[in-house]
Amino acid sequence: MNGVLSLVLCLVALLGGGLVGFFVRKAYAEKKVQSAEERAKLILEDAEKKAQDKKKEIELESKELLHSIRADFEKETKDRRAELFSMEKRLIQREENLDKKVELLDRKEKELNEKLKDISAKEQKLRSMEEEYKLLVAEEKDALQRVSGLTVEEAKKLLLARMEEDVKQEAGVMIKRIEDETKQEADKRAREILATAIQRCAVEHTVESTVSVVNLPSDEMKGRIIGREGRNIRALEMATGVDVIIDDTPEAVILSGFDPVKREIARIALTKLMEDGRIHPGRIEEIVEKVKKEMEVSIKEAGEQAVFEVGIRSIHPELVKLIGKLKYRTSYGQNVLDHLKESAFLMGTMANELGLDANLAKRIGLLHDIGKAVSHEVEGAHPKLGAEMAKKYGENEFVINAIEGHHGEIPPISIYTVLSSAADAVSGARPGARRETLEIYIKRLEKLEEIADSFKGVEKAYAIQAGREIRVIVEPAKITDAQATVLAREIKKKIEEGMEYPGQIKITVIRETRAIEYAK
């Protein structure tokens, strides 16, 4: 009985403990669920808050982007309006310039008509003078036959001698008068055009020689350049085509060659070899080939830069390369590429002053010495070679004629050829543009004086102003004032035929008569 009761109590106790545990666990679970719900609620609220903040941030960024796009659009619109205004202004300016050029052409046409009328009047006057001479000759012939008793042949010789003397006298006076009348205006206008062109042109010039000197870090480097049994120096000469001269000059090597491009390649290659330190035939060939490729790029860039500076378009790429080559070519010490650019600017300015096509003039100026880029490779004078190059690459007939005729080898077919000769002479004759050796300079002075002394009646001739002027003193008993004018023209003609010189030479004939008496 007691055992059963104990068992029942135990069951009751277990059941009561289970019920208590169930309710405790249920309460704990409900509390945990409530806590989880509260956390979930907090997380949701935090997520909503972050979403609102992100939304506000995106809206702010959108507004800023819209403002930036609007500002860029307004700026671009403003710039385009300014550009259109500038273009409109330039068009108006061009129209005004065209009107001025038309007025200038009309004025020049009137001046030309007036000069033609003046020439016609002078021709008529010369015809009348010729008739008078014929009458005088007939009268003098009759008088001579009656009074002197000379034969017809003797009278003819005497008459021709007198006529020759009179005609020379009259011709000298007439030449001087016509030259004074025409030169006064022509020289003034020419000086204005040339002065304007020279003032507007500002091209720097560099002076280079036919040899290049490479400085060495020490004299020990000479032995490395020569190499064992001279194999390095032979490899360098064969790869570059220039002579490498190593002498007693301290810390220097001389590169000699007629082709300036090859000489420059050799200079750069040797400099790089010394910097690299590895000097042997294989490395020399590798460096030279690399420098050649770099030089091709440099030549092309130099040509393109020159074309851009001058402001012309549509030049064949091969002509651009030839222009770039002239960066390394000199003439009388003047860099040829700089000479071409200066000539182009001069021709463009003169063409503008004369109402011609400035772009065509600058094109001719930039190409007129293009033949010098190949004159050391192909036999022939550089004007003819340049004309062949221009024709080969599609230049027009005015350009070809100006290139071939800028030294007077062929007759000009347009005024651009004359302008080319003038610009070439001005650029070459500018003080400091060119240089020459003392020997050539002295020979040129002696040749000038020799030509002047060869004429009858010349007492003494002096070449002055560095050979740009020669003063000729004549014997007043043998040369009259009128004959002095004729003598100056004859000396000029002989100098032009027998000498080559940059620029121009002024011939001044001086005739002086002195009367001396002594009071005793």
Side-chain angles (χ1 to χ4, degrees), residues 21 88 233 281 344 420 422 445 490:
E88 184 180 0
I233 192 171
S420 177
L445 297 186
E490 291 176 351

Side-chain angles (χ1 to χ4, degrees), residues 134-148:
K134 288 180 180 178
L135 292 174
L136 288 173
V137 168
E139 292 175 1
E140 189 168 354
K141 185 176 179 180
D142 294 338
L144 284 171
Q145 288 178 350
R146 288 195 306 270
V147 176
S148 64

Side-chain angles (χ1 to χ4, degrees), residues 46-61:
D46 186 54
E48 288 178 359
K49 186 178 180 181
K50 288 183 178 179
Q52 290 294 332
D53 292 341
K54 189 67 176 179
K55 181 180 178 182
K56 290 180 181 179
E57 184 180 348
I58 292 172
E59 288 177 353
L60 183 61
E61 288 179 356

Side-chain angles (χ1 to χ4, degrees), residues 151-293:
T151 63
V152 175
E153 291 299 325
E154 291 173 342
K156 279 183 180 181
K157 289 180 181 179
L158 180 61
L159 182 61
L160 287 173
R162 282 191 181 183
M163 283 182 64
E164 183 179 0
E165 193 67 28
D166 291 342
V167 167
K168 280 187 178 181
Q169 184 78 12
E170 289 291 333
V173 173
M174 187 176 294
I175 288 170
K176 192 172 187 309
R177 179 170 57 80
I178 293 173
E179 284 182 347
D180 291 342
E181 291 175 357
T182 56
K183 276 187 177 181
Q184 186 174 3
E185 183 62 28
D187 287 349
K188 181 180 178 182
R189 180 61 179 156
R191 286 193 190 99
E192 289 176 356
I193 293 173
L194 290 176
T196 303
I198 293 170
Q199 287 170 2
R200 292 180 184 174
C201 178
V203 179
E204 296 181 358
H205 287 266
T206 58
V207 178
E208 302 176 9
S209 61
T210 57
V211 296
S212 299
V213 178
V214 180
N215 295 321
L216 306 179
S218 65
D219 283 336
E220 294 178 359
M221 185 61 69
K222 291 182 179 180
R224 297 185 62 190
I225 294 172
I226 294 171
R228 184 181 299 174
E229 298 178 356
R231 63 176 186 173
N232 290 347
I233 192 171
R234 284 198 301 271
L236 182 60
E237 289 179 340
M238 289 181 65
T240 59
V242 302
D243 294 329
V244 182
I245 302 172
I246 299 178
D247 53 17
D248 296 334
T249 306
E251 299 181 356
V253 171
I254 298 172
L255 305 175
S256 177
F258 290 105
D259 190 333
V261 176
K262 291 181 179 179
R263 197 171 64 246
E264 183 66 10
I265 290 172
R267 186 189 68 79
I268 296 173
L270 186 56
T271 303
K272 289 191 173 185
L273 284 167
M274 289 190 295
E275 292 174 354
D276 182 60
R278 293 174 292 171
I279 305 177
H280 54 81
R283 184 63 176 166
I284 289 171
E285 292 178 1
E286 180 184 346
I287 291 292
V288 169
E289 285 300 319
K290 184 178 178 181
V291 172
K292 284 181 180 179
K293 292 178 181 178

Side-chain angles (χ1 to χ4, degrees), residues 29-46:
E30 289 177 353
K31 187 177 181 181
K32 194 172 182 181
V33 168
Q34 186 178 1
S35 176
E37 288 177 353
E38 289 177 355
R39 283 201 305 272
K41 188 177 180 181
L42 290 174
I43 291 171
L44 287 173
E45 290 177 356
D46 186 54

Side-chain angles (χ1 to χ4, degrees), residues 475-487:
E475 300 178 20
K478 296 181 180 180
I479 303 294
T480 64
D481 289 338
Q483 289 173 336
T485 303
V486 177
L487 178 62

